[in-house]
């Protein structure tokens, strides 16, 4: 079936961050190296993704040319194979221990060549790149294979195919096959390069346990006449009927997925430790305050909390933890709003203060039985005051916490040592996360908090019969949070029972709980043999993948002989299963006459410089200002009289730049730009079908419109001084979805998860009950069958600011209301006045409004807009 109408509003969304495939020639003639085929094949077998990227190129030049193959893959993925086929000869990549590949690596560096084939490129991806010389008329096939166990975060997994071939491709195809024995509960897609012309190139077929998503644009339909550039995302969830989880078995190995539904949330005691040193000044501290205020709003009444802010000194908001009552939360929000950045960075004292607060509350029996205690640290730099040795700080904090509390560390930007924060967190039962400096930094902080906001179980242990299993991965976990999933894998013994049983023990708020489940070995083996497109024998590789990941994580906190033993195990598994991990390298062999080999290594999370910033140009602003030291000519008028451009009296002459090569005669005059109104309403069935609304009086957020029958509510904050909306929010109650637009970006929130989209980046998203699209002009449309279409636009013409659009307004019900919604009730227009036919009166719900015929700019199709004559009212 076609892709319309698939998706859901809840549950896990599978995020398979897959790839950006870029194949281009580094030559003057763009078409010398031509991609004639590019395919992506992803097989997702019970959460384990096996992805193959294949590109075929030909050199159409008469001389040797260089072709470069680039693929972006998820940071959590392991490359398992790479090969080049040149004129029938295969040049494979061989995976070796890092020490064995070091000689080739060092030799390449000594020659001044770039030896590293893999580098970190984005928040979630790494880039693999290799180049090779191609003879005239010769063909080359590149193939890269990588694998990843998809991790559940906030109930979401994403399969992201980032497509950027940089040239037209004759044959382009993506196939994603999904097999989930538990059953697929929903599936939806999103793309940033899809347009209406490409919509029928996407097909989705789905039954209870399988799904096939294919994107295959056709040249005959003109769908390959445009270079594609953007993301393709697939999201899905699985059914969960067994509280003890799902045990799946294939080829002698098993995987146990555990994410019970319907458990109550355990109360938590949380201390937020906020860095307010001088390096946090400006945007970072502003975004931190914004995020902290929203996070405080999400605390539950039975939670307890406190705030610590630190620079060179350490300050706590309250001497003890306090309940998250409305009064305490409001006070904390006021405190957070006034946190200012200055001074040095005393991480050691701040962390020890947080631990002492929890210890004091525990000694005074202020912490409720069975509650969970968390410390969340946010910092953007290394320690500079007090104890500055990272190793000693780690030792001090671990000794103070003593396994009693969980520590989560957030590193803001790239000036902080992520390695330091990662060990600090892993030593104390938590995890570390980097917060990227961007317009959505506050959202990143909020999303992280949501991941740990709802603890469901503590002290979770998995038990299997000793005579049934062997080589089991980690089987005990400190915490299980809502929206996450615990995964345990292992090998079945040769003489294992016909049925594999399991017990999962954990602690709820006030009691212990035991879950039991079992799975028939024969039935499970049969189920994984039937789907012909599934990557067979995947579960053994899943076992190796997860075991390696856990060993690498355990190495962070280990030392001495224990660390060496963990490293040896992880290395042997990496070599046995051909995984490029931090302990191995792939040596890529090239044809005779070229640099004979290159080395691909797994990047690790480190500190590095962030991207540079640039202030975007403003043609209207810069055009009037002119170049530096340009002459200014006064625009003469009578002081105190209205100026035609600004519409208000001026006490001094307006000085405006005119280019020097203009031949000025007489008095310089600047034409008055026609303004775009804040809102244009389409009024179907009225004698006047278009109404321009100017908002002159606004205090606080406005309910612009609400239609309970449609399940739509639109609110906004209008700043009269700037004559623009600072934000507009659309709530679709039936979908439990909010879309909040600001001048910076658009944020879509659903099921506690935020997705940020920058304006003018194309978007094509389809889910049940909603199509969401954005074009290159920035026009965002929220549409659905039988519903009013709501549009949002970042207007950058005269009268710049956010704009609201409404289409299909004949679908409003009779219950629509609000500042703008009232105009879709019974509207009565009076005739033009005798003295001035450009003025009329309209009556709405018993209230009269004066309307004036004016020339305005219609912003609905984007900048620069078109002049229209419309009746304008002031509110």
């Amino acid at each position: 079936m076609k892709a319309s109408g698939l998706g859901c509003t809840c549950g896990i969304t599978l995020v398979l961050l897959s790839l950006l495939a870029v194949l281009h020639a580094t030559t003057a003639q763009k078409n010398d190296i031509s991609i004639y085929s590019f395919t992506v094949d992803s097989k997702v077998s019970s959460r384990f993704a096996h992805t193959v990227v294949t590109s075929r190129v030909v050199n159409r030049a008469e001389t040797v040319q260089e072709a470069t193959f680039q693929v972006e893959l998820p940071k959590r993925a392991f490359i398992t194979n790479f090969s080049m086929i040149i004129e029938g000869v295969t040049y494979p990549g061989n995976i070796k221990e890092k020490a064995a590949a070091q000689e080739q690596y060092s030799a390449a560096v000594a020659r001044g060549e770039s030896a590293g084939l893999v580098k970190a490129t984005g928040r979630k991806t790494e880039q693999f790149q290799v180049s090779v010389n191609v003879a005239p008329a010769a063909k080359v096939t590149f193939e890269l294979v990588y694998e990843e166990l998809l991790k559940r975060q906030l109930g979401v997994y994403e399969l992201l195919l980032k497509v950027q071939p940089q040239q037209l491709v004759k044959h382009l195809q993506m196939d994603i096959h999904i097999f989930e024995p538990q059953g697929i509960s929903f599936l939806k897609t999103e793309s940033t390069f899809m347009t209406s012309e490409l919509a029928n190139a996407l097909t989705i077929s789905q039954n209870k346990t399988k799904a096939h998503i294919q994107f295959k644009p056709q040249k005959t339909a003109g769908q390959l006449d445009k270079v594609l550039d953007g993301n393709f995302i697939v999201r899905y969830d699985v059914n969960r009927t067994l509280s003890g989880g799902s045990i799946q078995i294939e080829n002698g190995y098993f995987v146990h997925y555990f994410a019970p539904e319907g458990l109550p949330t355990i109360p938590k005691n949380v201390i937020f430790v906020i860095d307010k040193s001088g390096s946090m000044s400006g945007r970072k501290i502003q975004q931190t305050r914004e995020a902290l205020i929203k996070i405080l709003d999400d605390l539950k009444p039975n939670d307890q909390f406190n705030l610590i802010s630190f620079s060179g000194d350490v300050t706590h908001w309250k001497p003890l933890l306090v309940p998250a009552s409305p009064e305490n939360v409001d006070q904390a929000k006021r405190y957070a709003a006034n946190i200012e950045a200055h001074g040095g960075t005393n991480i050691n004292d701040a962390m020890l203060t947080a631990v002492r607060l929890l210890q004091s509350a525990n000694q005074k029996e202020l912490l409720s039985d069975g509650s969970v205690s968390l410390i969340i640290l946010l910092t953007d730099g290394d320690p500079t005051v007090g104890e500055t040795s990272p190793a000693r700080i780690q030792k001090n904090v671990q000794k103070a916490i003593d396994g009693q509390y969980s520590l989560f560390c957030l590193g803001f930007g790239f000036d902080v040592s992520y390695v330091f924060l990662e060990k600090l967190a892993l030593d104390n039962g938590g995890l570390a996360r980097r917060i990227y400096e961007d317009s959505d930094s506050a959202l990143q902080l909020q999303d992280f908090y949501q991941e740990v906001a709802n603890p469901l179980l503590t002290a979770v242990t998995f038990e299997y019969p000793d005579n049934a299993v062997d080589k089991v991965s980690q089987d005990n976990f400190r915490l299980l949070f809502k929206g996450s999933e615990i995964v345990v894998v292992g090998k079945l013994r040769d003489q294992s029972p016909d049925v594999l049983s399991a017990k999962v023990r954990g602690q709820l708020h006030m009691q212990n709980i035991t879950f039991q489940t079992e799975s028939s070995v024969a039935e499970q083996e049969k189920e994984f043999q039937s789907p012909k497109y599934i990557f067979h024998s995947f579960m053994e590789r899943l076992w190796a993948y997860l075991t390696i990941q856990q060993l690498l994580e355990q190495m962070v906190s280990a030392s001495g002989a224990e660390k060496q033993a963990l490293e040896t195990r992880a290395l042997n598994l990496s070599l046995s299963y051909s995984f490029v991990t931090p302990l191995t390298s792939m040596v890529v062999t090239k044809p005779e006459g070229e640099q004979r080999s290159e080395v691909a290594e797994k990047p690790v999370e480190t500190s590095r410089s962030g991207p540079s910033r640039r202030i975007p140009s403003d043609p209207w602003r810069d055009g009037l200002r002119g170049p530096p030291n340009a002459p200014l000519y006064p625009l003469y008028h009578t002081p105190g009289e209205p100026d035609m451009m600004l519409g208000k009296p001026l006490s001094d002459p307006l000085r405006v730049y005119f280019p020097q090569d203009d031949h000025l005669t007489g008095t310089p005059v600047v034409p008055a730009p026609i303004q775009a109104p804040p809102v244009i309403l389409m009024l179907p069935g009225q004698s006047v079908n278009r109404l321009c609304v100017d908002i002159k009086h606004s205090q606080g957020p406005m309910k612009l419109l609400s239609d309970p029958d449609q399940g739509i509510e639109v609110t906004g904050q209008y700043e009269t001084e700037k004559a623009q909306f600072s934000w507009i929010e659309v709530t679709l109650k039936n979908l439990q979805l909010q879309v909040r637009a600001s001048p910076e970006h658009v944020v879509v929130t659903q099921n506690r998860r935020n997705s940020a989209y920058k304006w003018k980046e194309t978007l094509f998203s389809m889910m049940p009950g909603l199509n969401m699209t954005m074009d290159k002009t920035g026009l965002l449309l929220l549409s659905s069958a039988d519903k009013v279409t709501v549009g949002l636009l970042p207007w950058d013409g005269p009268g710049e600011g956010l704009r609201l659009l409404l289409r299909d307004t004949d679908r409003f019900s009779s219950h629509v209301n609000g500042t703008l919604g009232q105009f879709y009730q019974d509207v009565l227009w009076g005739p033009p006045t005798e003295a001035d036919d450009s003025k009329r009166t309209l009556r709405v719900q018993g209230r009269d409004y004066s309307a004036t015929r004016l020339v305005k700019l219609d912003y609905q199709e984007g900048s620069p807009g078109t002049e229209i004559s419309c009746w304008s009212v002031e509110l």
Side-chain angles (χ1 to χ4, degrees):
M1 64 179 175
K2 295 296 179 185
S4 59
L6 282 176
C8 187
T9 63
C10 60
I12 309 179
T13 306
L14 172 77
V15 178
L16 167 69
L17 265 171
S18 189
L19 57 121
L20 156 81
V22 179
L23 189 62
H24 64 279
T26 56
T27 62
Q29 297 181 5
K30 293 182 180 179
N31 295 323
D32 287 347
I33 295 291
S34 175
I35 312 170
Y36 62 89
S37 175
F38 168 64
T39 61
V40 180
D41 187 78
S42 288
K43 291 182 171 64
V44 183
S45 308
S46 186
R47 326 284 209 279
F48 191 67
H50 174 89
T51 300
V52 182
V53 185
T54 307
S55 282
R56 294 178 171 86
V57 306
V58 60
N59 180 8
R60 302 190 185 282
E62 297 179 357
T63 58
V64 173
Q65 302 291 331
E66 184 181 67
T68 300
F69 174 69
Q70 296 175 353
V71 173
E72 283 198 11
L73 61 151
K75 288 183 178 179
R76 288 182 56 83
F78 291 155
I79 292 173
T80 66
N81 191 34
F82 171 74
S83 65
M84 296 182 292
I85 303 175
I86 305 175
E87 293 298 284
V89 179
T90 300
Y91 299 88
N94 298 308
I95 296 176
K96 300 181 179 182
E97 182 181 357
K98 264 193 175 179
Q102 189 63 40
E103 182 178 345
Q104 291 157 300
Y105 180 88
S106 299
V109 172
R111 292 192 299 268
E113 297 164 343
S114 176
L117 297 182
V118 185
K119 62 182 180 180
T121 55
R123 297 183 186 179
K124 300 178 181 179
T125 57
E126 298 165 350
Q127 184 187 85
F128 173 90
Q129 174 177 307
V130 67
S131 300
V132 65
N133 288 333
V134 185
K139 294 182 178 179
V140 180
T141 298
F142 299 94
E143 183 177 276
L144 182 74
V145 183
Y146 63 85
E147 294 174 342
E148 176 192 20
L149 175 62
L150 303 165
K151 184 179 180 180
R152 191 183 188 209
Q153 287 181 298
L154 284 177
V156 173
Y157 297 84
E158 284 184 357
L159 170 54
L160 168 60
L161 307 181
K162 205 170 183 184
V163 183
Q164 200 174 16
Q166 295 190 357
Q167 62 168 261
L168 298 178
V169 180
K170 184 177 181 180
H171 172 246
L172 188 151
Q173 183 170 332
M174 300 182 198
D175 287 278
I176 302 124
H177 296 278
I178 300 171
F179 175 57
E180 290 290 350
Q182 290 174 252
I184 299 171
S185 63
F186 80 84
L187 185 148
K188 59 184 178 181
T189 65
E190 177 182 308
S191 170
T192 62
F193 62 79
M194 289 278 292
T195 61
S196 56
E197 291 80 10
L198 290 170
N200 63 3
L202 176 66
T203 57
I204 300 174
S205 56
Q206 180 185 347
N207 61 22
K208 182 180 178 182
T209 59
K210 305 174 192 174
H212 177 207
I213 303 101
Q214 184 179 79
F215 177 71
K216 188 177 181 180
Q218 300 294 320
K219 186 173 182 61
T220 54
Q223 295 174 335
L224 289 170
D225 295 340
K226 186 178 180 181
V227 177
L228 301 183
D229 182 359
N231 304 333
F232 182 80
I233 302 170
V234 179
R235 298 184 174 98
Y236 78 81
D237 188 17
V238 299
N239 297 315
R240 290 181 177 81
T241 55
L242 300 175
S243 59
S246 172
I247 297 178
Q248 299 166 25
I249 302 168
E250 191 247 5
N251 200 29
Y253 287 81
F254 77 91
V255 59
H256 188 174
Y257 292 110
F258 182 69
E261 298 282 319
L263 296 182
T265 299
I266 299 175
K268 62 183 180 294
N269 317 297
V270 57
I271 297 182
F272 301 97
V273 184
I274 306 300
D275 184 348
K276 62 172 184 177
S277 61
S279 57
M280 284 283 291
S281 62
R283 194 181 193 191
K284 283 195 284 190
I285 198 67
Q286 177 185 345
Q287 291 175 320
T288 299
R289 289 192 297 253
E290 176 187 338
L292 191 54
I293 287 169
K294 292 186 177 180
I295 286 170
L296 290 168
D297 268 333
D298 288 334
L299 290 171
K300 295 177 173 56
N302 57 355
D303 291 338
Q304 297 191 83
F305 74 106
N306 204 339
L307 304 175
I308 291 176
S309 59
F310 71 95
S311 51
D313 300 319
V314 179
T315 305
H316 46 72
W317 168 57
K318 295 286 187 181
L320 296 170
L321 274 76
V322 298
S325 65
E327 296 79 14
N328 287 333
V329 169
D330 285 343
Q331 288 182 31
K333 286 162 64 177
R334 288 193 292 272
Y335 176 85
N338 290 306
I339 295 177
E340 297 292 342
H342 59 84
T345 307
N346 192 341
I347 294 177
N348 186 75
D349 286 359
M351 292 305 306
L352 297 183
T353 300
V355 176
R356 284 194 293 269
L357 282 173
L358 286 171
Q359 290 173 338
S360 175
N362 194 30
Q363 292 167 0
K364 295 178 181 179
E365 298 183 350
L366 299 177
L367 306 183
S368 63
D369 294 338
S371 60
V372 172
S373 296
L374 311 175
I375 300 173
I376 299 177
L377 166 67
L378 171 67
T379 182
D380 77 329
D382 295 332
T384 62
V385 176
E387 179 58 72
T388 59
S389 166
R392 284 196 288 270
I393 293 174
Q394 290 162 345
K395 184 178 180 180
N396 293 343
V397 173
Q398 186 175 20
K399 181 180 179 181
I401 288 180
D402 194 26
Q404 299 300 305
Y405 320 118
S406 295
L407 170 61
F408 298 89
C409 298
L410 304 178
F412 205 146
F414 286 94
D415 293 329
V416 65
S417 171
Y418 187 83
V419 173
F420 162 64
L421 292 182
E422 182 180 41
K423 179 170 173 55
L424 193 63
L426 292 176
D427 284 349
N428 298 285
L431 56 87
R433 180 76 52 82
R434 190 184 297 283
I435 301 300
Y436 293 83
E437 291 186 62
D438 208 335
S439 61
D440 67 340
S441 296
L443 295 176
Q444 295 176 54
L445 291 168
Q446 293 168 49
D447 280 349
F448 175 82
Y449 172 74
Q450 288 297 337
E451 290 183 43
V452 300
N454 298 287
L456 301 178
L457 287 173
T458 63
V460 185
T461 60
F462 291 73
E463 299 174 9
Y464 307 94
D466 291 337
N467 65 339
V469 300
D470 189 21
K471 299 181 180 178
V472 177
S473 63
Q474 181 180 341
D475 58 6
N476 61 89
F477 303 84
R478 181 178 290 196
L479 288 165
L480 170 68
F481 293 102
K482 183 178 181 180
S484 67
E485 183 174 61
I486 294 178
V487 185
V488 178
V489 291
K491 188 179 187 300
L492 298 182
R493 294 187 181 274
D494 292 338
Q495 304 298 323
S496 63
D498 295 336
V499 175
L500 177 60
S501 61
K503 290 183 179 179
V504 184
R505 304 183 190 274
Q507 295 179 6
L508 296 169
H509 178 204
M510 298 296 290
Q511 67 183 67
N512 296 331
I513 187 170
T514 300
F515 303 91
Q516 298 189 58
T517 189
E518 61 182 27
S519 186
S520 167
V521 175
E523 289 180 5
Q524 284 290 310
E525 292 277 12
K526 182 179 179 180
E527 188 161 22
F528 279 103
Q529 290 172 358
S530 57
K532 60 183 179 181
Y533 57 75
I534 290 303
F535 174 53
H536 293 285
S537 299
F538 76 92
M539 204 165 288
E540 182 177 356
R541 298 191 63 80
L542 189 163
W543 166 81
Y545 171 94
L546 184 60
T547 302
I548 293 169
Q549 291 278 24
Q550 292 177 348
L551 289 170
L552 293 173
E553 188 173 282
Q554 291 166 21
M555 284 170 55
V556 175
S557 297
S559 60
E562 180 189 4
K563 184 173 184 177
Q564 183 60 50
L566 292 170
E567 181 176 329
T568 300
R569 286 183 60 198
L571 173 61
N572 290 338
L573 282 173
S574 301
L575 294 173
S576 298
Y577 289 91
S578 296
F579 285 134
V580 178
T581 72
L583 304 177
T584 57
S585 301
M586 174 183 282
V587 178
V588 178
T589 304
K590 290 189 175 183
E592 191 78 33
E594 296 193 46
Q595 178 189 337
R596 292 304 304 277
S597 62
E598 291 184 290
V599 179
E601 296 187 338
K602 182 78 174 172
V604 295
E605 190 77 54
T606 58
S607 302
R608 64 174 175 82
S609 297
S612 60
R613 296 187 179 90
R614 178 176 63 86
I615 299 175
S617 62
D618 183 335
W620 176 256
R621 174 199 65 207
D622 296 340
L624 287 181
R625 182 185 296 117
N629 303 319
L632 293 172
Y633 297 91
L635 173 63
Y636 293 103
H637 62 89
T638 304
E641 292 187 356
D643 172 70
M644 294 304 294
M645 182 177 77
L646 301 178
K648 61 182 181 180
L650 294 176
S651 57
D652 296 305
L654 177 67
R655 294 170 63 79
V656 180
Y657 162 75
F658 287 89
Q660 283 185 295
D661 57 359
D662 280 1
H663 299 286
L664 300 176
T665 59
T667 303
V669 176
V670 175
I674 299 172
Q675 300 289 310
V679 181
I680 298 175
L681 300 179
M682 308 305 292
L683 304 178
Q686 298 287 329
S687 60
V688 174
N689 61 8
R690 187 159 45 196
L691 183 67
C692 294
V693 180
D694 281 312
I695 302 173
K696 298 297 185 182
H697 308 285
S698 172
Q699 292 183 348
M702 304 169 63
K703 184 173 77 171
L704 299 174
L705 65 88
S706 177
D707 190 334
D709 294 5
Q710 293 263 312
I712 297 175
E713 184 172 280
V714 181
T715 56
Q717 177 83 49
Y718 190 80
E719 298 182 17
T720 53
E721 291 184 0
K722 295 182 179 179
Q724 61 180 272
F725 285 101
S726 57
W727 58 264
I728 300 175
E729 184 171 281
V730 182
T731 300
L732 305 176
K733 296 185 177 180
N734 297 336
L735 300 179
Q736 297 181 337
L737 182 144
Q738 293 84 37
V739 179
R740 186 181 179 92
S742 68
E744 284 190 313
H745 53 216
V746 177
V747 178
V748 179
T749 303
Q750 191 174 30
N751 296 322
R752 302 181 298 126
R753 180 181 175 84
N754 298 302
S755 298
Y757 304 95
K758 293 183 179 179
W759 290 110
K760 301 184 181 181
E761 290 186 355
T762 54
L763 175 67
F764 194 93
S765 175
M766 294 180 292
M767 64 186 75
L770 178 67
N771 288 345
M772 183 165 55
T773 64
M774 189 193 303
D775 61 22
K776 288 292 186 181
T777 70
L779 176 58
L780 177 71
L781 293 177
L782 310 173
S783 60
S784 178
D786 303 321
K787 301 287 186 181
V788 174
T789 296
V790 179
L792 300 168
L793 178 72
W795 172 254
D796 52 12
E800 63 182 356
L802 294 177
R803 292 295 188 271
L804 175 69
L805 296 81
L806 298 172
R807 297 177 180 174
D808 307 311
T809 53
D810 56 324
R811 297 173 180 173
F812 274 126
S813 75
S814 59
H815 299 110
V816 63
N817 60 81
T819 303
L820 304 178
Q822 63 178 326
F823 294 103
Y824 293 96
Q825 294 285 5
D826 294 331
V827 176
L828 300 177
W829 286 91
T833 62
E834 294 183 2
D836 187 349
D837 61 4
S838 66
K839 295 185 181 296
R840 297 178 68 177
T841 300
L842 73 158
R843 171 163 290 192
V844 181
Q845 296 183 326
R847 182 174 178 179
D848 289 340
Y849 293 92
S850 296
T852 305
R853 175 68 75 178
L854 297 173
V855 176
K856 296 282 188 178
L857 270 185
D858 187 351
Y859 56 77
Q860 297 182 89
E861 300 301 328
S863 183
T866 56
E867 293 184 12
I868 58 171
S869 176
C870 70
W871 289 96
S872 179
V873 299
E874 293 184 0
L875 299 181

